[in-house]
Amino acid sequence: LLSLAGTMNIDDDTQWLEWVTKQFESIAGEDKEIDLEEFKTALKVKESFFAERFFALFDSDGSGTISLDELLKALNLLIHGDETDKLRFLFQVYDVDGKIVKNLLIPTCHLDISAAVLSMRVRSGSIDPDELRTVLKSCLKESTISLPEEKLDDLTLALFESADKDNSGSITFEELREELERFPEVMENLTISAANWLMPPTVKQKSHTPRYLTPAYWHNNRSKLLFMGGYLCLNTLLFTLAALQHAPLGGWVLVAKGCGQCLNFNCTFLGVLMLRRCLTWLRATWVAKVFPLDQNVIFHQLVGYVVGALTAVHTGAHVGNFGELTQTQDRPALWEYLFTTRPGIGWIHGSASITGIALQLLICVMLVCSSTFVRKSGHFEVFYWTHLSYIFIWALLVLHGPNFWKWFVVPGFLFVVEKTIGIAVSRMGGLYIVEINLLPSKVTHLVIKRPQFFHYKPGDYIYLNIPAIAKYEWHPFTISSAPEQQDTIWLHIRSRGQWTNRLYEYFRRPEPLSQEPKRLMGNLRKQRYHKWTQCYINGPYGTPTRRIFTSEHAVLVGAGIGITPFASILQSIMYRLSLKDDEMKLRKVDFIWINRDQKSFEWFVSLLTKLEMDQADEELEGRFLEMHMYMTSALSKNDMKAIGLQMALDLLAQKEKKDSITGLRTRTQPGRPDWSKVFHKMAEENKGKVQVFFCGSPALAKVVKAHCEHFNFRFFKENF
């Protein structure tokens, strides 16, 4: 239930009343009353404690059910009531053994909810430590936070001692009000979340100016837009020149030849965009400032779709031309044009039609199997194997078109050289996985023996092949260890597809010979059993994160396992900082890590703890590295089911100088970041030009990028 006080007019009230009435009827059923079980289902609470307390407060006549009239009166208080009204409601939720008293101040027409205001009076009740502990325990369950009983006791005492001003052994209404006055923004927006069934559907107001036409968008995407403009102009020019050259042969031939020339360029350009070693080298040159090298994968996908469209038009135009030719006397039939070499079309034994049909089929299969649905649905191997058909496509293109080889000879040579170097490097020396750690949320931490001449930059990624999992499959993963770590390479791999799931299960399976009941001995044997698993790596390859060390104010945003490139970068930053590296331009680093649940923080909590200690040892002016942790499953501070817990976590963190959830000095914030507030604060710090580096889901990337454009921050996203 959103707190809409001060924002709803008469029309809004009427719409809200109609919506709530409709939703009430759908939940209450024929008896037109909501019982406790229906209330729990509608409210979607994890812990029955809060459902029962809210239900008791809504059920004003104590009948054991909630009528529409009772629901409207209670919701009216939560929407139109002042801070005192909401605080009285909250106090009665916390006062478990207290008696609930409810009475109407203005018993007028119930349909006019702006005229009827419900006030909840609290008798001389109080909250004792046991009641507060019960509430906080339920708060933990609502926010999916797991803490030991001793920590729950510490949280209870921290909040109780702070609120019990007179040391009477109980918290009164006035004492709770005084404690909450320390959080004015919380009281102003106090809500009961998760009641989506009470929220009328909102219509998003579209901006008058589309995002793609704003000056901020053009400024932040200028290299991409210039590149796209140049790409479009070049294709237009190639089509026009080829079409004019063959215009006397008719319209069908004109279109076919124009598309054919564009296909010569685009089929070659597809390979250029995958020259990873060349692109990694170019990132260190002026070319990276002019061309959007960081988006080579996105452009590769775009050009792939362009090739598919051009192929369809090119084929259709030739079929149309063949259809016209068959109308002429003594000409072969249409099927002969398409499936035989008799018409003699093509520069190698009239094979243009046959090779063209083969190309059309291969390109269609590759496009379908490259779709997001196939790649993200656990069938990566389908994408992998069908994508290898590019070898046959290039070979057929050489046979199909007389001019393709001229476009392809130089890029093709570079491609072959890259592949040869990759194969040679990946097979040099014996690489082994020397340590395996299975982390929460099915994350596999691999420690690989580092090759002698393997040099990489922070944030780089490699392609990994483990024959024991799949002999011929290579998958890209970011290196999570710092380059300064000489002996080993770290990879953190989350199980999402078939290959990553097989990897996790392979190292999770028990050793057949291990019948030892002792847990530590069993773990040691298991580690030794897998200690010398062979693997191969290909790389390293550069990413946008290489720009971080040339930034002044870097903001690193990682979601879930998206922290992996930043784990390497943060270690390297602190290492260079300790050496007083003059080449590093960084003046401030903000690290934002967003996780769904508490266990996910365990992946890198030891590393982050070390970084905090290193920063403390450096005795820097201000905070050079500032961490921001967010747990999305935790309810926000302005939720009645979480306000007590979040206050207790704040108080205990101040007392113990560490967060109760992660153990870090940085306090873990509930919910998702308010990007407007976060970026506004960073802009005001004036630590230099802000550049945001993101690794995470595409949906979150769009949100972060939109806010970056608003604040005129440069945005870089990790793309494989």
Side-chain angles (χ1 to χ4, degrees), residues 525-662:
R525 288 190 177 187
K526 180 179 178 182
Q527 192 176 40
R528 290 168 186 163
Y529 177 69
H530 294 296
K531 185 174 182 180
W532 300 109
T533 303
Q534 190 177 33
C535 68
Y536 301 98
I537 61 174
N538 186 6
Y541 299 111
T543 65
T545 52
R546 287 197 172 191
R547 299 171 180 258
I548 287 176
F549 293 94
T550 61
S551 306
E552 294 177 327
H553 186 170
V555 181
L556 317 181
V557 182
I561 200 65
I563 187 182
T564 47
F566 304 135
S568 171
I569 290 162
L570 290 172
Q571 292 176 82
S572 188
I573 286 174
M574 298 309 296
Y575 178 81
R576 297 186 187 194
L577 196 64
S578 65
L579 296 179
K580 311 296 183 184
D581 188 351
D582 296 331
E583 296 182 1
M584 189 171 67
K585 298 180 181 179
L586 279 169
R587 296 165 57 190
K588 177 70 183 295
V589 177
D590 280 285
F591 171 60
I592 302 173
W593 191 16
I594 307 165
N595 273 314
R596 183 186 303 274
D597 51 46
Q598 180 182 358
K599 287 187 176 181
S600 298
F601 288 103
E602 297 177 15
W603 300 337
F604 291 99
V605 70
S606 59
L607 168 63
L608 297 178
T609 301
K610 183 180 182 300
L611 292 176
E612 285 185 331
M613 294 174 63
D614 291 344
Q615 180 169 230
D617 293 340
E618 291 296 327
E619 297 181 353
L620 300 172
E621 293 185 11
R623 297 190 66 179
F624 171 79
L625 171 61
E626 191 164 352
M627 299 186 189
H628 312 264
M629 306 293 169
Y630 291 90
M631 181 174 165
T632 58
S633 66
L635 300 178
S636 62
K637 288 182 179 180
N638 61 353
D639 192 303
M640 286 189 179
K641 303 193 298 297
I643 183 172
L645 172 63
Q646 294 301 329
M647 289 169 58
L649 287 169
D650 283 341
L651 291 168
L652 193 59
Q654 294 172 11
K655 179 180 178 181
E656 297 182 345
K657 305 300 182 184
K658 67 177 182 179
D659 182 51
S660 297
I661 297 175
T662 62

Side-chain angles (χ1 to χ4, degrees), residues 276-344:
R276 294 186 179 90
R277 293 184 185 275
C278 292
L279 294 177
T280 299
W281 175 75
L282 288 174
R283 289 178 194 277
T285 68
W286 60 270
V287 177
K289 298 180 180 180
V290 179
F291 296 99
L293 302 181
D294 300 333
Q295 302 187 54
N296 65 303
V297 175
I298 295 175
F299 287 128
H300 177 80
Q301 295 171 344
L302 175 64
V303 174
Y305 289 120
V306 171
V307 167
L310 288 172
T311 301
V313 176
H314 176 76
T315 302
H318 273 306
V319 172
N321 181 51
F322 293 157
E324 286 188 353
L325 292 176
T326 57
Q327 305 300 319
T328 308
Q329 191 174 6
D330 298 328
R331 288 282 188 175
L334 181 60
W335 69 269
E336 291 181 292
Y337 274 109
L338 295 176
F339 302 109
T340 69
T341 59
R342 184 183 167 216

Side-chain angles (χ1 to χ4, degrees), residues 384-441:
Y384 177 82
W385 288 110
T386 56
H387 228 62
L388 290 178
S389 61
Y390 71 83
I391 300 172
F392 302 105
I393 289 176
W394 279 339
L396 287 171
L397 282 169
V398 172
L399 300 176
H400 179 76
N403 295 314
F404 176 73
W405 69 271
K406 300 175 184 177
W407 289 85
F408 185 70
V409 61
V410 174
F413 173 76
L414 292 176
F415 192 86
V416 171
V417 169
E418 275 215 2
K419 286 295 182 182
T420 304
I421 293 174
I423 294 172
V425 170
S426 65
R427 300 294 171 176
M428 283 178 58
L431 291 186
Y432 295 93
I433 299 172
V434 297
E435 185 181 335
I436 304 98
N437 297 297
L438 302 182
L439 304 179
S441 301

Side-chain angles (χ1 to χ4, degrees), residues 88-109:
R88 284 172 178 153
F89 186 95
L90 178 66
F91 186 84
Q92 292 189 77
V93 172
Y94 279 41
D95 187 11
V96 179
D97 61 1
K99 184 178 179 181
I100 298 172
V101 179
K102 315 177 183 72
N103 58 341
L104 280 171
L105 290 179
I106 309 176
T108 55
C109 179

Side-chain angles (χ1 to χ4, degrees), residues 365-371 373-389 473 475 498-499 502:
V365 170
M366 182 182 283
L367 279 175
V368 171
C369 295
S370 300
S371 63
F373 171 76
V374 174
R375 289 186 291 114
K376 302 296 184 181
S377 62
H379 296 88
F380 181 83
E381 67 281 356
V382 175
F383 160 77
Y384 177 82
W385 288 110
T386 56
H387 228 62
L388 290 178
S389 61
E473 290 188 28
H475 295 265
Q498 288 190 4
W499 190 90
R502 290 203 304 268

